[in-house]
Amino acid sequence: MEVLMTQQHKHLIVRADISWCPKEEDLNKISDWIRSLIKEIDMNLLSGPYTMYVNEKGNKGMTSVAIIETSHIALHIWDETSPGLMQLDVYSCANFFPQRVFNKVNELFKTTKMEYKFLDREKELVEV
């Protein structure tokens, strides 16, 4: 019996220079933001978000990961530079709209520059 694949295998990779960088006291704010991003892209949270602050010189910043029903979201922010640096991955086997992610990023972090790749990973790595 052949199994019909319905997954989308979409992977959004975002690199952004940001004006607002969360600090150690902003753990809950970032976890709340991840939850709101998940709702914005019509996904379901399975576990997390797990948000931690790394206080190591040269690597200071926030990391947050969440397991969603269809895969994961990973956020990394380094705050020792100005502007700060954000790296964000949204991988899902369900369809979603990248513009909604961009809007949520801009809303909180006030990007000064944003670049992205949106990939379809179902059979090969194809830019969408």
Side-chain angles (χ1 to χ4, degrees):
M1 175 179 210
E2 186 177 332
V3 176
L4 181 63
M5 299 295 286
T6 59
Q7 291 89 6
Q8 298 293 312
H9 298 282
K10 296 296 194 284
H11 190 173
L12 178 64
I13 304 165
V14 177
R15 185 213 179 275
D17 293 336
I18 56 175
S19 296
W20 182 76
C21 288
K23 298 296 182 191
E24 198 164 1
E25 61 271 14
D26 295 315
L27 292 172
N28 289 335
K29 187 172 191 169
I30 296 305
S31 290
D32 289 345
W33 182 84
I34 293 282
R35 284 185 202 94
S36 72
L37 173 62
I38 292 167
K39 286 181 185 174
E40 179 66 27
I41 61 173
D42 299 320
M43 302 292 166
N44 295 311
L45 179 65
L46 288 182
S47 188
Y50 303 100
T51 306
M52 299 298 293
Y53 187 85
V54 174
N55 203 359
E56 177 184 314
K57 187 170 174 51
N59 196 32
K60 287 185 180 181
M62 190 78 64
T63 293
S64 188
V65 295
I67 300 168
I68 56 177
E69 194 170 77
T70 55
S71 199
H72 72 272
I73 294 175
L75 169 70
H76 308 283
I77 297 172
W78 291 268
D79 62 20
E80 291 179 288
T81 60
S82 183
L85 172 62
M86 168 192 280
Q87 302 278 4
L88 174 66
D89 282 14
V90 178
Y91 182 79
S92 178
C93 294
N95 199 24
F96 66 96
F97 299 101
Q99 189 60 51
R100 290 183 177 181
V101 175
F102 305 149
N103 293 345
K104 290 298 286 182
V105 168
N106 279 319
E107 180 181 291
L108 182 61
F109 300 102
K110 313 297 184 220
T111 60
T112 58
K113 177 182 175 185
M114 187 184 311
E115 299 173 289
Y116 73 93
K117 298 285 185 192
F118 190 41
L119 303 172
D120 181 335
R121 295 173 46 175
E122 184 174 351
K123 294 188 180 2
E124 296 178 9
L125 297 179
V126 177
E127 283 193 54
V128 179

